[in-house]
Amino acid sequence: MKQVANFMFEEWCTLQGVEIPSSPSYPKETTEVDIIAQMNIKERNRYLQLEAVAATIEKYIHPGGQFSLAREELQNRIMKPYSTEGNGKDTLIYTHIPSVDPQKVEDVFS
């Protein structure tokens, strides 16, 4: 029992006449570069065009982007519809009304 306990798995398989299972082979991992390399010129151009459009949209909707800032301003104006400017008799009171449906903005943003 002590001798068998010290055997390596391969040694035990050899003594018992058991075939050692081999690990499965996996195909080479396909990368984005491989896929793009297989495209013809028209497909590659379309892919790069769509990638550029997505990057431009991303700049607008992520925090700090123009759409994101406009959305924040819309939410602030809804929460505080009145603002003042000036002092005393020269005080002006502004009323802010959304020019676009806030729900549409949220639907586009999400």
Side-chain angles (χ1 to χ4, degrees), residues 49-64:
Q49 177 188 13
L50 292 173
E51 192 175 60
V53 168
T56 303
I57 291 171
E58 179 182 18
K59 282 184 180 178
Y60 283 98
I61 63 173
H62 279 172

Side-chain angles (χ1 to χ4, degrees), residues 20 38 47 49 59 75 89 98 102 107:
I20 300 173
Q38 294 175 358
Y47 174 81
Q49 177 188 13
K59 282 184 180 178
Q75 290 172 345
K89 67 178 185 169
D107 291 344

Side-chain angles (χ1 to χ4, degrees), residues 22-41:
S22 62
S23 61
S25 61
Y26 296 103
K28 179 186 166 220
E29 186 176 319
T30 304
T31 64
E32 182 181 6
V33 175
D34 296 333
I35 294 170
I36 292 172
Q38 294 175 358
M39 294 179 181
N40 63 36
I41 292 174

